[in-house]
Amino acid sequence: MTKQAENQNNQLKRGLKARHLSMISLGGTIGTGLFLASGGAIHTAGPGGALAAYAAIGIMVYFLMTGLAEMAAFMPVAGSFRVYANKFVDPAFGFALGWNYWYNWAITIAAELSAAVLIMKFWFPDSPSSLWSGICLIIMFLLNYLSVKGFGEAEFWFSLIKVITVIIFIIVGSLMIFGIMGGKAIGFGNFTVGDAPFHGGFLTILGIFMAAGFSFQGTELLGIAAGESENPRKTIPKAIRQVFWRIILFYILAILVIALIIPYTNSSLLSSNVAVSPFTLVFQKAGLAFSASVMNAIILTAVLSAGNSGMYASTRMLWDMAREGKAPRFLGKLDKRGVPVNALIVTALVGTLAFLTTFFGDGAVYVWLLNASGMSGFIAWVGIAICHYRFRKAYVAQGRDLNELPYRSKWFPFGPLFALVICIVIILGQNYTAFTGSSINWSGALVSYIGLPLFLIFWLGHKYMYKTKMVPLKECDFENEL
């Protein structure tokens, strides 16, 4: 077999159609962050504080994703921002970003499996935790094992269910606010309850940035999926243009509806139990029967979708690192259908961390896993912002015409710099309360910040071993690897 034929056999299949990519982009941010965590954000910071935090994160994510789209449309590779970091920043930085991102999503798989256990116990309270986490792990594995098209189809339908739910929720909530449904008009009175709309001041809003940021994590999956999309130069820009409007529609409007209908002082907003999800509470107020069971089923699809996406993203990142020699070589092989099965199996094994729920209690383990992966997501976003800034600078430095880019993000350099600053502020301040008491809460700090030293160890360790240096702008490589 010639080297060219061998390379062709070790290529991912471009099986994701435009509708798959659009739905992956559209549904990427809709999950437990919106269905469950939004209530806690409103209760903690008041309706105005929650809206401010989600709006700020939404704007930041918009700049991040348009920057990523600019690079992905020009250079659609499965390694996405890890490859861009290698080419435009520093190979050691790319190495650390790759392992950080794999760890982030591999842990998120386990966290979503733990969430699935909590959801299933709503219906079957006495059933064993390992049964449900095991079934969900098998479903996620098979959806990824069949083919990239199988993953794309699953995400298409998972996302469609979530999108329809949020649209119905906003319509029903709006009818309730104006008294067309559910009895007397609610109006805007709940925005002035207590010390609303802002409760707790700036530091409280900063405190819920982490929850808001975690809710939006997954949008960068579009960059990973670009390596397997049919026509990335057209489909990536089309999908990314929806980012800003979906943030406005699905998060800002949904949180506005919740805050107007349920006063932020309602302690039920703090619960992670689906029976008192803010969506469930609103539907119950509207007089819709079986709302808890219906929302439970919808949240289950959201959890399966997040886990499915996590397995896809982490598997592709691990495969891409392996073929460059940054991970064990056996993980860089594809089967006849273009699926990196070895990388998939290893990633799925990490998902078995969810089985710890059997021994340590479902809720506690879920919160621990959620916090541990949260920091890694923000580090990945920092990497995207830096890569985009360097990509554009290098592109211009080498005398290339910006008009030749398939997609060009707006407001450069403000966009990536704004995203970079916001991400760093959130990384450093996400659990500032661990250091503000009479004594330092070391366990809380460890759980919240564990991703940061891990990333620095990978980055600086690789830099020390291989003596890598920052790539000069005029030497940045713009060749497409796929």
Side-chain angles (χ1 to χ4, degrees):
M1 182 182 292
T2 66
K3 189 171 183 62
Q4 183 179 2
E6 186 179 345
N7 287 338
Q8 287 178 346
N9 287 337
N10 199 35
Q11 300 263 327
L12 296 170
K13 310 297 183 188
R14 293 191 177 273
L16 293 177
K17 299 181 182 295
R19 66 182 180 89
H20 294 144
L21 215 58
S22 293
M23 265 306 174
I24 289 170
S25 173
L26 195 61
T29 60
I30 305 172
T32 53
L34 178 59
F35 293 135
L36 294 176
S38 56
I42 294 169
H43 183 81
T44 303
L51 284 169
Y54 276 85
I57 294 292
I59 292 169
M60 182 265 288
V61 169
Y62 170 75
F63 285 127
L64 271 178
M65 292 308 106
T66 53
L68 179 60
E70 180 175 294
M71 296 184 289
F74 178 83
M75 190 180 294
V77 291
S80 192
F81 47 88
R82 183 200 70 82
V83 174
Y84 308 147
N86 282 350
K87 289 173 174 286
F88 311 125
V89 186
D90 177 1
F93 189 61
F95 175 82
L97 273 182
W99 279 108
N100 170 79
Y101 196 67
W102 175 81
Y103 160 82
N104 173 35
W105 275 111
I107 294 298
T108 299
I109 294 168
E112 297 300 342
L113 290 173
S114 299
V117 170
L118 295 174
I119 292 167
M120 294 308 298
K121 287 200 170 185
F122 173 81
W123 288 309
F124 309 101
D126 298 322
S127 58
S129 302
S130 57
L131 171 67
W132 302 117
S133 53
I135 290 174
C136 291
L137 182 64
I138 291 170
I139 291 172
M140 294 173 193
F141 179 86
L142 290 177
L143 288 174
N144 277 270
Y145 177 74
L146 294 174
S147 67
V148 67
K149 204 168 183 179
F151 160 77
E153 283 296 327
E155 277 308 291
F156 178 85
W157 292 106
F158 282 150
S159 295
L160 189 61
I161 291 170
K162 294 185 288 185
V163 167
I164 290 172
T165 300
V166 177
I167 291 173
I168 291 173
F169 173 79
I170 291 171
I171 292 171
V172 169
S174 299
L175 292 175
M176 292 172 66
I177 290 165
F178 295 103
I180 302 171
M181 185 176 183
K184 184 181 176 183
I186 294 170
F188 296 83
N190 285 331
F191 254 66
T192 55
V193 169
D195 60 351
F198 296 96
H199 173 64
F202 172 76
L203 289 179
T204 303
I205 295 175
L206 179 65
I208 64 167
F209 264 34
M210 184 64 190
F214 188 83
S215 297
F216 286 115
Q217 285 181 19
T219 48
E220 75 288 336
L221 180 66
L222 197 63
I224 306 289
E228 293 175 273
S229 61
E230 284 185 342
N231 190 354
R233 287 179 173 261
K234 289 186 177 179
T235 54
I236 293 290
K238 182 181 176 182
I240 213 69
R241 288 188 191 104
Q242 303 170 4
V243 169
F244 181 73
W245 296 111
R246 78 162 184 258
I247 288 170
I248 295 296
L249 176 64
F250 295 129
Y251 273 88
I252 305 304
L253 285 184
I255 290 173
L256 181 63
V257 166
I258 294 167
L260 286 172
I261 294 174
I262 304 170
Y264 84 92
T265 51
N266 189 328
S267 59
S268 295
L269 289 172
L270 273 177
S271 177
S272 61
N273 186 341
V274 68
V276 285
S277 153
F279 276 60
T280 305
L281 291 173
V282 170
F283 283 137
Q284 284 176 340
K285 269 182 168 287
L288 300 177
F290 308 113
S291 57
S293 288
V294 171
M295 276 309 302
N296 203 48
I298 291 166
I299 293 172
L300 180 61
T301 66
V303 165
L304 287 172
S305 172
N308 188 40
S309 296
M311 193 167 285
Y312 171 84
S314 51
T315 296
R316 265 53 182 184
M317 187 63 77
L318 191 58
W319 167 81
D320 190 69
M321 288 190 294
R323 70 185 190 133
E324 272 195 15
K326 304 292 176 61
R329 288 284 185 185
F330 80 97
L331 298 172
K333 293 188 177 180
L334 301 173
D335 66 8
K336 292 179 180 178
R337 291 159 298 129
V339 177
V341 176
N342 292 344
L344 178 61
I345 292 171
V346 169
T347 301
L349 287 174
V350 175
T352 59
L353 283 171
F355 293 141
L356 288 173
T357 56
T358 306
F359 307 105
F360 299 108
D362 304 322
V365 173
Y366 174 59
V367 170
W368 197 96
L369 293 173
L370 197 70
N371 287 336
S373 64
M375 170 71 83
S376 299
F378 284 113
I379 291 172
W381 285 358
V382 164
I384 293 172
I386 293 173
C387 287
H388 179 224
Y389 182 82
R390 293 273 303 173
F391 168 84
R392 180 72 78 88
K393 287 288 188 182
Y395 197 88
V396 173
Q398 293 186 21
R400 293 171 175 262
D401 185 357
L402 290 173
N403 294 319
E404 293 179 0
L405 288 171
Y407 174 77
R408 184 174 169 184
S409 66
K410 298 178 178 63
W411 290 30
F412 183 90
F414 173 79
L417 293 178
F418 174 77
L420 179 64
V421 170
I422 293 292
C423 283
I424 290 175
V425 168
I426 295 170
I427 285 173
L428 297 178
Q430 63 171 296
N431 192 13
Y432 68 92
T433 54
F435 303 97
T436 56
S438 56
S439 60
I440 296 176
N441 179 2
W442 289 109
S443 62
L446 176 65
V447 168
S448 299
Y449 292 97
I450 186 66
L452 192 55
L454 285 175
F455 176 78
L456 292 174
I457 288 170
F458 274 101
W459 180 15
L460 299 178
H462 188 275
K463 194 171 185 65
Y464 175 77
M465 287 181 64
Y466 295 95
K467 312 299 181 190
T468 64
K469 295 181 180 179
M470 180 83 76
V471 182
L473 293 177
K474 291 194 174 182
E475 295 179 16
C476 290
D477 179 12
F478 285 96
E479 290 300 315
N480 193 334
E481 293 193 350
L482 287 184

